Amino acid sequence: MIDKVVASAAEAVVDITDGASLAVGGFGLCGIPVSLIDALHQQGTTDLETVSNNCGVDDWGLGILLKDGRIRRTISSYVGENKEFARQYLAGELEVVLTPQGTLAEKLRAGGAGIPAFYTKAGVGTQVSEGGLPQKYDADGNVAIASAPKEVRSFNEADYVLEESLTPDFGLVHAWKGDRHGNLVFHAAAMNFNPLCAMAATTTIAEVEELVEPGELDPGQIHTPGIFVQRVVVAPATEKRIEKRTVAL
């Protein structure tokens, strides 16, 4: 088996070029591959297309790439916690493909499974299926790019919309544990989107909090097999933020 460990996050992302598409794991601020995103930011890569449930916050996660104008287009579900995101979208600087959360997850899962498209009820009868959803504005606030209508078919007297799967160039994921062969274990809510991004991407790069030797992980506890992962980098000191803190007095 191949030892997939690389020495640094900078080395791990070195071949991510301008214009690449990225599937980025995480849910809210949980399970975000911060070390890989920071390395990509320092590298200066730009004109990126990101596929991610959300786009970080203004000063963290994908938000640091967004702030510097490095993201050209994003396919996302929840984008409500980033003021710079809203500004760029409304100013015509960012193309946004809003996608129902479950549909986004299935687009990635199906892509990783080799399924090019699938039918779902989500979005039937709305602009998701009928088209016209603003994806990009011009500088004057007019719709420059709108979503196209999608195929709708009836199965068992119910309508379903056809959604195409996603297979981005690179996947950036954050795992709790991983071994040198790329087998990964995610913790708690970090299970959201990280395994799917790892499956869907052509080249997957995983940052892990703890690196173990092959054979130390219980095979029954592995969430993503190493066949889906091409590179592993250790990121033991990754900051973990809470998106919304609620306390009781």
Side-chain angles (χ1 to χ4, degrees), residues 220-232:
Q221 300 301 313
I222 291 172
H223 297 130
T224 297
I227 192 171
F228 290 112
V229 179
Q230 283 66 49
R231 295 171 207 157
V232 176

Side-chain angles (χ1 to χ4, degrees), residues 43-237:
Q43 181 173 286
T45 310
T46 191
D47 197 34
L48 296 166
E49 177 182 63
T50 59
V51 181
S52 178
N53 180 61
N54 56 295
C55 209
V57 290
D58 290 305
D59 64 340
W60 207 64
L62 285 175
I64 66 170
L65 292 173
L66 184 73
K67 183 179 179 181
D68 285 353
R70 307 283 185 81
I71 299 176
R72 171 185 58 85
R73 183 175 191 262
T74 185
I75 302 172
S76 300
S77 176
Y78 179 73
V79 294
E81 301 296 333
N82 193 316
K83 293 180 181 178
E84 177 61 14
F85 185 105
R87 188 201 67 77
Q88 289 188 21
Y89 175 50
L90 296 175
E93 300 171 12
L94 178 68
E95 183 177 350
V96 179
V97 182
L98 286 173
T99 306
Q101 193 168 82
T103 300
L104 181 60
E106 182 61 12
K107 278 174 169 281
L108 291 165
R109 190 207 66 81
I115 300 168
F118 57 92
Y119 286 96
T120 175
K121 285 186 176 181
V124 171
T126 73
Q127 287 182 309
V128 171
S129 62
E130 296 173 357
L133 195 65
Q135 293 183 346
K136 189 173 184 181
Y137 292 97
D138 63 21
D140 297 321
N142 302 307
V143 177
I145 301 175
S147 63
K150 298 174 182 177
E151 178 185 336
V152 176
R153 285 185 61 184
S154 180
F155 298 91
N156 298 320
E157 300 183 351
D159 288 340
Y160 295 79
V161 59
L162 182 68
E163 293 281 0
E164 295 185 7
S165 304
L166 294 168
T167 53
D169 300 323
F170 292 89
L172 308 182
V173 301
H174 178 97
W176 175 40
K177 292 183 180 181
D179 66 21
R180 293 182 178 275
H181 294 166
N183 297 303
L184 304 177
V185 178
F186 302 97
H187 180 66
M191 276 289 291
N192 290 306
F193 284 97
N194 271 302
L196 304 174
C197 290
M199 287 180 62
T202 301
T203 300
T204 293
I205 307 167
E207 62 175 57
V208 301
E209 296 180 29
E210 181 181 349
L211 178 68
V212 301
E213 295 303 318
E216 290 187 37
L217 296 177
D218 179 352
Q221 300 301 313
I222 291 172
H223 297 130
T224 297
I227 192 171
F228 290 112
V229 179
Q230 283 66 49
R231 295 171 207 157
V232 176
V233 63
V234 181

